[in-house]
Amino acid sequence: MTRRGTLGVAVVGTGRMGADHVRRLHEVTNGARVVAVADVDAERAKRTADGIEGCSAHTDPAAAMAADGVDAVLVASPGAAHEAALMTAFEHDLPVLCEKPLTPGPASALRVLEAEQRLGRRRVQVGFMRRYDAEYMRLKALLGTGRLGRPLMLHNRHRNVATPPGFTGEMIVNDSLVHEMDITRWLLGHEISAVTVLKPAASGNAPEGLRDPQFVVFETSGGAIVDVEVNLNCGFGYQVQAEVVCERGTARIGDGHSLVTQQDGRWGGAVAQDFTERFEDAYDRQVQAWVDATRRGEVTGPSAWDGYAAAVICEAGVRAQREGVRVEVTLTERPAFYA
Ligand code: ISE
């Protein structure tokens, strides 16, 4: 239930993603308005709130959540701040869309699961936005028909133009590969049971000290093998591709052939340059779905359990990467609450 017909949203964190979500909620999403923002940088919070009528700016997330007219929270602060923001949202009994990661590790993710269960109903949607990408949705629907038979292999490519300054090896797993972890679980309906990380020679494009690209193998509970090329300094564009190999056929997305031009004896198209461009529709659809569900009093989409599973797989992935060994993944028993 919302207080004034539209959903009043507090946005916590107004960095790159937070500011983009504020713009989206203000300009694109139906049925929502931004009523408060919070950021440790007071100036940035104020700049973001400026121009949005009735939007207050805060440095304390709790103050933003307590502001008049807040019905729900979008958390887009750095991962280390998520647990505290989620707990505050729970105290106010507010529904939350939390950018990935849910929290940076399994122990804190478990604390969030326990706190959410104490509320007696789901409150959290985690921002694994690829689940809202039109191509991934089509692929999932096709697999769901069973026409191709059981999925046996999934090949993924995850390419970025260049890593931002300060990007570390662990971030390859926690910030980038985490998307393939979630999409594998969602597309195949399998749990990831083991992770292996292989490292080819570092690309000359990669910044000094960063071993990029990497080649990752997931084994799944359903017997599938999943590989991921994570190639974050490829130089030419932002590309996310996936091909599922099933018993009776294959299906592939991400070729980016939506606009092909032919001119001067050549044919071709453009390659997206970053994730906000490639996944713009997915972000829009994700936020609209969250707003619509919240206004209906429902919580849908990736759950805190999915966030916890990703945290456990990331921990295994970082170990596999560091030690060069195959690391098994063990999740705690899934509570009936998240069935
Ligand atoms: C970034 O945090 C994302 O979420 C992007 O989707 C991913 O492609 C990129 O590698 C990450 O750094």
Side-chain angles (χ1 to χ4, degrees):
M1 282 292 262
T2 64
R3 291 176 210 166
R4 294 180 204 154
T6 56
L7 189 77
V9 181
V11 176
V12 174
T14 57
R16 181 175 182 190
M17 280 318 301
D20 197 40
H21 282 313
V22 168
R23 176 200 56 79
R24 173 171 295 106
L25 283 161
H26 188 54
E27 294 174 6
V28 182
T29 313
N30 290 314
R33 65 198 201 299
V34 184
V35 291
V37 297
D39 199 285
V40 283
D41 179 341
E43 267 310 302
R44 187 160 73 176
K46 193 175 166 312
R47 267 199 314 277
T48 311
D50 274 354
I52 302 182
E53 209 192 310
C55 179
S56 54
H58 309 260
T59 48
D60 178 8
M65 290 187 220
D68 193 31
V70 173
D71 303 301
V73 187
L74 194 160
V75 175
S77 46
H82 287 188
E83 181 181 359
L86 287 163
M87 295 302 181
T88 307
F90 292 166
E91 276 163 30
H92 291 269
D93 199 19
L94 294 169
V96 192
L97 174 58
C98 181
E99 265 298 336
K100 58 92 177 163
L102 175 68
T103 66
S108 47
L110 273 178
R111 288 195 291 272
V112 170
L113 292 190
E114 278 154 21
E116 188 179 39
Q117 288 176 80
R118 281 198 295 275
L119 294 175
R121 65 211 142 97
R122 268 188 64 191
R123 278 322 212 194
V124 180
Q125 172 172 339
V126 180
F128 286 126
M129 82 302 172
R130 284 197 194 174
R131 297 189 186 197
Y132 295 88
D133 173 64
E135 291 185 75
Y136 272 118
M137 286 164 71
R138 236 173 271 138
L139 182 56
K140 166 98 173 145
L142 174 62
L143 293 174
T145 65
R147 283 206 304 273
L148 295 181
R150 278 184 308 132
L152 306 174
M153 287 179 283
L154 168 61
H155 307 298
N156 300 279
R157 288 180 207 92
H158 185 160
R159 299 178 179 143
N160 294 185
V161 176
T163 47
F167 204 87
T168 63
E170 290 194 2
M171 289 168 80
I172 293 181
V173 174
N174 293 329
D175 286 35
S176 306
L177 185 64
V178 65
H179 285 291
E180 275 76 21
M181 294 171 182
D182 182 67
I183 216 70
T184 294
R185 298 178 63 248
W186 179 71
L187 270 182
L188 304 186
H190 302 172
E191 282 302 346
I192 291 175
S193 52
V195 187
T196 307
V197 178
L198 302 171
K199 297 175 194 155
S203 158
N205 286 343
E208 175 116 22
L210 186 71
R211 197 70 185 266
D212 175 55
Q214 300 191 2
F215 187 85
V216 181
V217 178
F218 301 144
E219 295 161 54
T220 78
S221 57
I225 297 289
V226 177
D227 62 81
V228 190
E229 170 199 315
V230 221
N231 186 353
L232 303 183
N233 290 277
C234 77
F236 62 82
Y238 185 92
Q239 259 183 351
V240 167
Q241 299 174 332
E243 181 179 34
V244 190
V245 178
C246 300
E247 292 167 302
R248 291 189 290 278
T250 71
R252 169 177 168 132
I253 61 154
D255 289 310
H257 287 162
S258 53
L259 180 69
V260 175
T261 54
Q262 304 187 74
Q263 193 178 16
D264 298 332
R266 303 180 71 83
W267 66 270
V271 184
Q273 291 298 297
D274 82 354
F275 60 91
T276 48
E277 181 188 353
R278 163 66 179 86
F279 285 116
E280 186 182 3
D281 290 351
Y283 281 114
D284 289 352
R285 216 174 277 117
Q286 166 190 250
V287 171
Q288 188 66 63
W290 174 67
V291 166
D292 291 347
T294 306
R295 293 179 75 199
R296 292 194 306 269
E298 294 171 15
V299 180
T300 56
S303 68
W305 172 260
D306 296 312
Y308 159 75
V312 176
I313 307 162
C314 280
E315 189 179 62
V318 168
R319 215 189 111 209
Q321 184 190 53
R322 194 176 52 230
E323 297 175 15
V325 293
R326 170 184 177 275
V327 178
E328 292 191 357
V329 176
T330 312
L331 300 180
T332 184
E333 198 178 325
R334 185 175 182 136
F337 186 85
Y338 295 108

